[in-house]
Amino acid sequence: MSTAATVRRPRVRMILTAVLAVALIAAPLALPAFANQTLIRIGVYAVAVLGLNIVMGYTGQVNLGQIFFVGLGAYVTAYGVNHGWNILLVFFAACAVAGLVGLLVALAAARLGGLAIAMVTIALPIVGVPLAKRLSDFTGGSQGTSARFTDAPDWSGLDNDQWQFYIVLVVSAAAFLLARSLVRGKYGRAFAAVRENEAVAASMGISPYRTKVLAFTIASIFGGASGFLYLAAVQYTSPETLSFGHSISLLAAMVIGGAGSIAGSLLGGAYYVFVPQLTNAIDPNLTTVSQGAILLAVLFLLPGGLVSLPRVVRRLTRRSATRRSTARPAAETSQQTPPAQHPVPDAAPEGPEQTERQDGP
Amino acid sequence: MGTFIQLVVDGLATGSIYAALALAIVLVNQATGLINFAQGGMAVLSAYIAYVFVQLGLPLLLAIIISVVLSFLFGALVERFLLRRFERGDPDTAVVVTIGLLTLVTGISAVLWGYNNLAFPSLFPLTSVEILGAVVSVRSLATAVTIVVIMVVLQLLFLRTKLGLALRAVADNPASAAFSGLPVGRLLMVGWGLAATLGAIAGVLVAPQLTLTPGMLDTALVYALAAVILGGLSSPIGCVVAASAIGVLENLVAVYIPLIGHDLKIAVPFALIFVILIIRPQGLFGRKVVVRV
């Protein structure tokens, strides 16, 4: 029970992070190619979900067009690679083009209050697919376009999937660290203020319009980066990449993983990759219906998404624990009573750290 | 000239389908303050239900009526058991709920009937008549007329009946409506049911033309949302005018501006929205006033 409290201690946390980092760096060398490819795709979509989370989870603006920016990033990457650009330039172009288009869309869409952003952004994938088919000089039309640039170089001695894993790992780790700093800092507080109450935000000198445009643009840049990674992993893109259904799936993944949570974005990426794999194995027709059912179930039972599952479980177990010890109603309000702490082998030392009861919602 | 008139009439016919969906969206929004993204998906489900009854050997009209009644019940049940919990909360969460509903309903259609296009019989004959030198299909005309009739009926329901008054009262102020003894919950169910009914009619009218697939109305939903944005969420007439205008305009643009053509005509209403919003953000509301006059 007190593992969660232990994790919050800075030193434990640092060690855990280091272990995780070593595990991630070592994983591709040990895992089979298929597992690597699955992890790569989780990284790709986690970045897209992360972008969506910034505009939707943190700023509260429903965005149904995130996949459009993923597709745009992928197309720009393919174009750049096929024209022999430097790979870093390609990456920045993918982010910049997606960000610029996102900025233009947001400048118009954010003028409409409330739900209208959702109603405008739903058009992006619906317009995007015929547009991608039409601009065949740039996109390769319905056949799509492919670009190989992530074959492992000879000096590295790695397989292609291992090399791709490291590319995705570096970019997505950077994206997650950037997003984490963003939502914890000044802009993150502005996002939260706009999400909670636009009038209050405005009265504190935060322009809701500018904040929304900023969040949307950042989300688009993350989408572009995700598109770059998509092409690095799949090496092929077509209009199908940015279809409406995928956009809905991305949104479902964000909510199921956990809206307004960085770790939830990673879970969302995992959901996006795993669940269709699972349902496709059973019956491809079940993919859509299971997604709808899971999304609604999460909204009903677990509004915070999968990331809030440990907290909910802890609350439920604690509630049943207090019910058992009704003889001591004082335990309800006071701090954790000593008998409950005894069974824990690595009991926390005395100090200002939070107890479970305090960090619960 | 003949082509032009034909394009306009065809545009009005497709526009009336968008108008029906847009009206359903406005109806739900007026009653509950939500945007129901599942409106199109629910309409497709209604069309499939009518299809099943046709396959069972029932006459088409009877099948449609059964499907419309079932859709009313389905809409009411969805409101009661799915949306009720989210109506008073964060509207963004409620929107995600309707998107989940869209996915679920589309998925159910796909599981039960598959993704293959199914031929849906037309309620109206496939013959065409000549008006002012344009060959216009009876189906297009009849579709447009049906939607207009429904619109008038709806308007009468809202303005001339006690039920309509109660619905408007609940939409306007649920708390006061409850204090004056109106069954708010039941009226919200009726509002959702009526919206589902409208969607069902749009679904069965458009199904012969588009052929039945689970994603049949995804595009129409996008047009309907564009019409709602242009016409204003609070103005049913504005929505109908905007939807018809979009239907006509996209047809004309597709034929007369080859750069856009038939594949990109869906970008037209949104290009329009973007231009209006960037140049004149108040343009929307200005339009709305004009429409109301």
Side-chain angles (χ1 to χ4, degrees):
Chain A
M1 279 303 291
S2 74
T3 43
T6 320
V7 167
R8 281 198 181 77
R9 286 159 60 190
R11 191 175 301 163
V12 176
R13 210 174 172 149
M14 224 160 74
I15 294 170
L16 272 181
T17 314
V19 169
L20 189 71
V22 170
L24 276 174
I25 290 169
L29 305 174
L31 290 172
F34 179 72
N36 279 344
Q37 279 154 5
T38 307
L39 287 175
I40 289 168
R41 288 183 43 222
I42 290 176
V44 171
Y45 289 110
V47 173
V49 172
L50 183 64
L52 188 58
N53 222 331
I54 287 174
V55 68
M56 223 177 123
Y58 286 98
T59 321
Q61 307 302 313
V62 178
N63 177 359
L64 292 169
Q66 180 72 353
I67 201 76
F68 176 81
F69 299 103
V70 178
L72 191 61
Y75 274 125
V76 170
T77 307
Y79 185 83
V81 166
N82 291 333
H83 284 72
W85 298 357
N86 180 296
I87 194 66
L88 280 177
L89 180 68
V90 170
F91 176 69
F92 286 118
C95 295
V97 171
L100 200 66
V101 175
L103 176 69
L104 287 177
V105 171
L107 281 176
R111 284 193 196 273
L112 294 161
L115 298 171
I117 290 191
M119 291 151 71
V120 170
T121 49
I122 195 177
L124 285 174
I126 299 242
V127 175
V129 172
L131 197 66
K133 285 181 185 160
R134 170 65 75 84
L135 302 172
S136 50
D137 292 344
F138 177 67
T139 63
S142 302
Q143 280 83 39
T145 176
S146 59
R148 289 178 76 83
F149 64 102
T150 49
D151 292 344
D154 290 333
W155 53 262
S156 65
L158 295 168
D159 288 335
N160 285 348
D161 58 286
Q162 293 165 339
W163 182 250
Q164 286 164 12
F165 183 96
Y166 287 124
I167 294 176
V168 172
L169 181 63
V170 167
V171 175
S172 49
F176 269 80
L177 287 177
L178 280 175
R180 185 168 165 273
S181 311
L182 180 82
V183 299
R184 289 186 173 191
K186 179 175 122 189
Y187 292 107
R189 288 193 294 275
F191 292 164
V194 169
R195 182 189 60 196
E196 293 305 328
N197 190 327
E198 289 188 19
V200 170
S203 75
M204 290 191 292
I206 298 161
S207 157
Y209 177 68
R210 274 195 211 162
T211 310
K212 284 186 213 170
V213 171
L214 179 73
F216 197 94
T217 309
I218 292 172
S220 315
I221 293 172
F222 276 78
S226 169
F228 173 86
L229 294 180
Y230 178 85
L231 209 72
V234 183
Q235 308 188 329
Y236 166 79
T237 182
S238 69
E240 174 59 21
T241 309
L242 45 111
S243 76
F244 178 57
H246 289 158
S247 212
I248 298 283
S249 306
L250 217 49
L251 184 141
M254 199 275 295
V255 174
I256 291 167
S261 160
I262 297 288
S265 307
L266 195 57
L267 290 177
Y271 166 86
Y272 189 96
V273 173
F274 276 128
V275 173
Q277 240 172 37
L278 196 73
T279 48
N280 270 335
I282 303 167
D283 180 0
N285 279 340
L286 283 178
T287 310
T288 319
V289 71
S290 65
Q291 177 177 301
I294 293 173
L295 179 56
L296 289 178
V298 164
L299 285 167
F300 260 88
L301 305 173
L302 208 63
L306 287 179
V307 77
S308 70
L309 194 60
R311 211 186 317 147
V312 171
V313 168
R314 218 182 316 148
R315 201 170 55 211
L316 288 178
T317 48
R318 195 186 307 149
R319 198 178 295 160
S320 59
T322 31
R323 208 170 293 148
R324 257 181 270 126
S325 59
T326 39
R328 278 183 291 118
E332 192 69 49
T333 46
S334 73
Q335 288 212 330
Q336 190 93 38
T337 44
Q341 272 179 345
H342 274 312
V344 182
D346 53 345
E350 285 177 43
E353 63 161 320
Q354 290 185 309
T355 63
E356 274 172 63
R357 197 168 296 280
Q358 280 168 333
D359 61 47
Chain B
M1 193 60 199
T3 327
F4 181 80
I5 291 172
Q6 194 165 346
L7 287 172
V8 169
V9 174
D10 285 349
L12 284 176
T14 43
S16 61
I17 298 295
Y18 309 152
L21 267 187
L23 273 179
I25 289 168
V26 167
L27 196 63
V28 165
N29 185 267
Q30 286 286 290
T32 54
L34 302 176
I35 303 287
N36 183 9
F37 281 87
Q39 206 75 63
M42 287 162 67
V44 174
L45 192 64
S46 309
Y48 271 113
I49 291 170
Y51 176 82
V52 167
F53 283 110
V54 170
Q55 292 297 301
L56 288 176
L58 263 64
L60 181 60
L61 193 62
L62 188 62
I64 290 177
I65 290 170
I66 294 174
S67 153
V68 163
V69 171
L70 288 178
S71 304
F72 182 88
L73 292 176
F74 181 65
L77 290 177
V78 162
E79 195 282 330
R80 177 64 191 87
F81 292 107
L82 203 58
L83 269 301
R84 183 67 59 87
R85 250 183 88 158
F86 300 94
E87 266 157 14
R88 299 271 168 270
D90 180 20
D92 291 335
T93 315
V95 164
V96 177
V97 172
T98 68
I99 289 166
L101 182 64
L102 167 68
T103 321
L104 185 69
V105 170
T106 310
I108 290 172
S109 305
V111 167
L112 292 181
W113 294 284
Y115 282 102
N116 294 331
N117 296 34
L118 299 175
F120 191 87
S122 175
L123 194 56
F124 307 111
L126 284 171
T127 51
S128 0
V129 289
E130 220 180 284
I131 304 171
L132 297 171
V135 183
V136 178
S137 79
V138 173
R139 192 167 71 185
S140 299
L141 271 182
T143 304
V145 169
T146 313
I147 298 283
V148 169
V149 168
I150 288 166
M151 245 148 26
V152 171
V153 169
L154 206 65
Q155 197 74 15
L156 287 178
L157 171 79
F158 269 98
L159 296 181
R160 294 267 185 274
T161 66
K162 220 169 174 182
L163 175 68
L165 185 66
L167 282 170
R168 282 187 293 147
V170 169
D172 191 48
N173 190 335
S176 301
F179 282 136
S180 41
L182 290 175
V184 173
R186 227 174 299 155
L187 285 168
L188 287 178
M189 287 169 72
V190 170
W192 269 76
L194 282 177
T197 306
L198 258 178
I201 292 168
V204 293
L205 284 179
V206 80
Q209 203 176 333
L210 296 179
T211 69
L212 209 46
T213 57
M216 175 178 83
L217 286 179
D218 283 354
T219 316
L221 176 77
V222 172
Y223 281 117
L225 290 172
V228 168
I229 295 173
L230 282 175
L233 266 173
S234 55
S235 152
I237 299 169
C239 283
V240 172
V241 172
S244 313
I246 288 172
V248 173
L249 190 69
E250 63 152 2
N251 254 356
L252 294 178
V253 165
V255 172
Y256 290 114
I257 305 179
L259 180 69
I260 293 174
H262 282 283
D263 49 342
L264 279 183
K265 66 182 183 182
I266 191 163
V268 170
F270 287 93
L272 204 66
I273 289 175
F274 277 5
V275 169
I276 290 174
L277 284 178
I278 286 181
I279 297 174
R280 239 179 63 118
Q282 298 83 5
L284 268 180
F285 303 98
R287 282 172 64 90
K288 219 158 82 178
V289 172
V290 171
V291 166
R292 272 179 183 162
V293 169

